[in-house]
Amino acid sequence: QVQLVESGGGLVQPGGSLRLSCAASGSIYNIYVRGWYRQAPGKQRELVATITSGGSTNIADSVKGRFTISRDSAKNTVYLQMNNLKPEDTAVYYCNAYSSRLSTTYWGQGTQVTVSS
């Protein structure tokens, strides 16, 4: 089993920045796609960004140019750097990880990001 723990959420003013972290522990396998999703009140959970074990990234159009995803493989940690935050970015942000070897998706507990003046 893999456990994912997010941190770094909180309150920020429009135009500000936050960095979210997601540390993985447990039974770690090498073949993974890791990502960030978010869910705002009254909306479906949506994909924000993904990163593969090879380092390839995909960023949602809604945050492209403002958010970046990265990882520190030695620490089994993935990051979401969020710049120029807007009120519409307010949501619960969830980290996930996918093992192609096990065909299993893991989810973190979520962390609240609130962008407000």
Side-chain angles (χ1 to χ4, degrees):
Q1 184 63 262
V2 172
Q3 293 79 46
L4 304 174
V5 179
E6 298 106 328
S7 62
L11 297 170
V12 65
Q13 294 186 222
S17 297
L18 286 173
R19 182 191 293 119
L20 305 183
S21 299
C22 178
S25 62
S27 300
I28 306 299
Y29 294 85
N30 290 330
I31 305 175
Y32 271 92
V33 177
R34 302 192 182 192
W36 290 94
Y37 288 71
R38 67 184 183 185
Q39 188 167 21
K43 294 186 177 181
Q44 295 277 87
R45 187 175 298 186
E46 65 175 344
L47 177 67
V48 176
T50 61
I51 186 166
T52 69
S53 59
S56 297
T57 61
N58 287 305
I59 309 294
D61 289 341
S62 59
V63 301
K64 195 170 296 181
R66 299 187 296 118
F67 291 12
T68 57
I69 187 170
S70 62
R71 73 178 195 275
D72 185 335
S73 296
K75 297 180 179 179
N76 295 316
T77 299
V78 64
Y79 304 94
L80 184 68
Q81 179 66 47
M82 305 184 293
N83 298 325
N84 192 24
L85 283 160
K86 303 176 179 180
E88 52 262 43
D89 296 318
T90 296
V92 177
Y93 284 71
Y94 298 91
C95 173
N96 86 335
Y98 175 70
S99 170
S100 60
R101 180 173 180 177
L102 299 177
S103 297
T104 302
T105 301
Y106 306 93
W107 291 92
Q109 81 286 353
T111 185
Q112 177 70 49
V113 172
T114 302
V115 184
S116 177
S117 59

